[in-house]
Amino acid sequence: GELSVSFKAWRPVRGDGNCYYRAVLFAWLERSVALGNLDSLRGFNEMLRPHRQAPTLASSIRICHNILCGWIAKREACSSESELRSLLMEVANEFNKER
């Protein structure tokens, strides 16, 4: 139909009530990793810093921090297209994993 004219592909996103936010954040994250925009990833990680002490968010923020730092390090180490594709697959799998 009409959507197939506008979009070449679609990516399933876990539907848990936050699927819109998950889809937007994932698109930004995937593009940042793919393009090597590590300053953007570091900036996002810094925006999370004030929330690391919030009792209800601390655990999730620490997990997010550790995952982001790992992806940044892996992206810095990517030296081939296949390594980048592997990292992007890891990002997709982790991002949609149920917790």
Side-chain angles (χ1 to χ4, degrees):
E2 192 174 320
L3 286 178
S4 64
V5 173
S6 300
F7 300 97
K8 294 185 242 180
W10 65 277
R11 178 184 306 281
V13 175
R14 180 167 46 100
D16 61 357
N18 293 313
C19 51
Y20 169 78
Y21 301 105
R22 184 180 313 283
V24 170
L25 186 58
F26 178 73
W28 168 81
L29 178 64
E30 182 181 46
R31 184 162 175 81
S32 295
V33 170
L35 297 177
N37 189 353
L38 303 182
D39 288 338
S40 183
L41 296 174
R42 288 183 187 104
F44 179 70
N45 197 25
E46 283 303 310
M47 285 192 301
L48 296 175
R49 183 181 296 277
H51 306 288
R52 291 181 189 158
Q53 303 307 316
T56 57
L57 297 175
S59 177
S60 296
I61 298 297
R62 276 194 301 276
I63 291 168
C64 186
H65 168 75
N66 291 337
I67 290 171
L68 277 172
C69 288
W71 289 340
I72 290 168
K74 288 178 181 179
R75 181 58 176 101
E76 288 175 326
C78 281
S79 60
S80 70
E81 191 69 29
S82 65
E83 288 178 350
L84 178 56
R85 279 194 304 271
S86 178
L87 175 57
L88 289 171
M89 184 61 70
E90 178 183 327
V91 169
N93 290 337
E94 180 65 38
F95 204 81
N96 282 307
K97 183 174 21 175
E98 290 195 39
R99 303 215 184 275

